[in-house]
Amino acid sequence: MSAGAGSVSVVSVRGLRVYYGTPRGPVRAVDGVSLDISEGETLGLVGESGCGKSTLGRGILGLLPEGAGADGEVLYGGRNLVTLPPKELRKLRGPDLGLIFQEPMTRLNPLLRIEDHFAETLRRHEPGIKDAEVRRRSLDVLGKMGIPPTRFRQYPHEFSGGMRQRIMIALALVLRPKLLIADEPTTALDVIVEAQILAILADLKAGFGTALLLITHNLGIIAESCDRVAVMYAGKLVEEGPARDVFAEPAHPYTRELLRSTISLETTALHSIPGAPPNLLDPPSGCRFHPRCPDAMRVCVDLEPVEQPFDGDRRVECWLHGPESEVPAGGRVELVREEIAVADEA
């Protein structure tokens, strides 16, 4: 799936797979994902919990736990990060590739002052940096986050959750990365602080020209903050395109059902998607969404969907949009969800 028209990609992901070894076999948490993120662009990655969003973000940066594996391509600066030696990859993290973790309450060392966090980060990547330069750059980026210099020598427990999240963002930005992955940056924050964090992330494009991958399950955040959106389900990207267009006319049934489940001022009845994302140890045959899909057909059970262009610069993986040449005779027979569930159990 491609970046916005006329743009130059900072990172290009091609056929990325990330899998975890278990006693029962490999769990394919990310299964053949392709996407591009351009300079100064915000790409929103959305989907239910357990669909592989965080694993995709960590897979791009090579931050995988022991026992996990990856293949495919993550192209940055002409190099494939998947096959890059660990020592070389570590050099890129921070100055080139940044990550904002979930839950800032658990990510800052409670025994270190805020100034120590910044000094450790800067000296690891710039060993010859002077103390005065450490302080100047740290206070500069903290000031952009709304943290006054009087709090530079305080400990993490002396800050609220929202301010700790701002500190985490500042730590990621102090090295001026070209790509920043923000993994649920507003988790557990109230709506006022959430709005402040989103405004800060929006300023990244103007102030730093940063390419931003924003991972979230919140469609409202995507609509407000992102240029493009990629929808992930069961380890695969099922739809991608400009956020405005995807929200106005979702092409994939999963995207449509996610939007229907969002509460707004016009909501008169609650809606949810029946069932749950599949067990990735043994995912369903064909389209992985077919057991829950209101538009499922026989072909959806039998064959994996093929990525198709849709409405210009959009992409979708769904048999509703073809290609007709790949559909066997009688393959578009409509099925109700109950019939699919019975067939899968058999």
Side-chain angles (χ1 to χ4, degrees):
M1 298 192 179
S2 59
S7 57
V8 178
S9 297
V10 172
V11 64
S12 295
V13 180
R14 294 291 178 268
L16 180 64
R17 291 178 173 84
V18 179
Y19 38 88
Y20 299 104
T22 74
R24 296 174 56 195
V27 174
R28 294 170 290 179
V30 175
D31 197 356
V33 166
S34 298
L35 56 82
D36 296 88
I37 313 175
S38 302
E39 181 179 349
E41 177 185 54
T42 301
L43 172 64
L45 183 63
V46 69
E48 294 170 282
S49 296
C51 283
K53 304 186 302 298
S54 294
T55 298
L56 174 58
R58 291 170 179 268
I60 290 173
L61 300 182
L63 287 171
L64 297 174
E66 186 176 350
D71 57 50
E73 293 183 329
V74 178
L75 301 176
Y76 174 80
R79 293 185 285 180
N80 183 7
L81 303 185
V82 174
T83 58
L84 205 63
K87 183 177 180 180
E88 294 299 314
L89 191 54
R90 282 194 294 269
K91 291 179 181 178
L92 292 176
R93 295 190 197 117
D96 292 78
L97 311 169
L99 174 64
I100 302 172
F101 291 97
Q102 293 187 48
E103 301 178 359
M105 288 72 165
T106 63
R107 297 296 178 179
L108 295 170
N109 188 330
L111 302 179
L112 297 181
R113 300 177 190 269
I114 299 307
E115 66 172 345
D116 298 324
H117 285 84
F118 280 89
E120 180 182 50
T121 298
L122 284 164
R123 290 198 175 104
R124 178 179 295 272
H125 295 281
E126 302 176 28
I129 192 170
K130 304 295 185 183
D131 290 347
E133 181 65 6
V134 169
R135 181 177 177 83
R136 184 193 69 78
R137 284 174 56 179
S138 302
L139 293 179
D140 178 66
V141 72
L142 282 170
K144 288 181 170 64
M145 299 298 114
I147 307 292
T150 53
R151 309 201 65 179
F152 192 44
R153 287 183 52 78
Q154 291 184 321
Y155 289 92
H157 74 269
E158 299 179 86
F159 293 85
S160 67
M163 295 190 81
R164 273 183 273 188
Q165 185 63 289
R166 296 184 194 193
I167 292 168
M168 290 296 297
I169 295 173
L171 278 168
L173 293 181
V174 73
L175 293 168
R176 301 164 187 152
K178 297 178 178 63
L179 171 67
L180 180 61
I181 297 177
D183 190 0
E184 299 279 7
T186 60
T187 296
L189 302 181
D190 63 66
V191 292
I192 301 299
V193 177
E194 178 182 280
Q196 294 170 346
I197 296 298
L198 293 178
I200 290 168
L201 293 177
D203 290 340
L204 292 179
K205 290 189 288 185
F208 293 89
T210 306
L212 176 64
L213 177 62
L214 179 57
I215 300 172
T216 182
H217 63 275
N218 190 322
L219 291 170
I221 290 176
I222 297 291
E224 180 180 348
S225 306
C226 297
D227 304 298
R228 292 188 302 122
V229 58
V231 183
M232 194 165 187
Y233 183 77
K236 292 181 173 290
L237 287 191
V238 297
E239 183 168 359
E240 183 266 338
R244 182 188 299 271
D245 297 338
V246 172
F247 276 63
E249 186 185 0
H252 198 283
Y254 180 60
T255 309
R256 187 181 68 236
E257 292 299 298
L258 283 178
L259 289 168
R260 288 185 62 199
S261 302
T262 302
I263 298 175
S264 68
L265 293 176
E266 288 75 35
T267 300
T268 57
L270 297 179
H271 175 78
S272 63
I273 307 174
N279 182 350
L280 295 181
L281 272 170
D282 185 24
S285 63
C287 174
R288 295 182 178 183
F289 186 57
H290 83 253
R292 308 172 68 194
C293 180
D295 300 320
M297 303 172 288
R298 172 56 60 190
V299 67
C300 305
V301 181
D302 297 333
L303 296 176
E304 288 192 25
V306 179
E307 181 183 299
Q308 288 291 295
F310 179 80
D311 193 25
D313 56 352
R314 295 171 61 183
R315 300 290 184 271
V316 62
E317 289 189 2
C318 180
W319 285 116
L320 290 174
H321 304 284
E324 292 293 339
S325 61
E326 299 288 338
V327 181
R332 288 195 181 277
V333 177
E334 297 290 341
L335 292 176
V336 297
R337 190 181 299 111
E338 288 76 10
E339 290 174 335
I340 295 174
V342 170
D344 287 345
E345 290 173 2

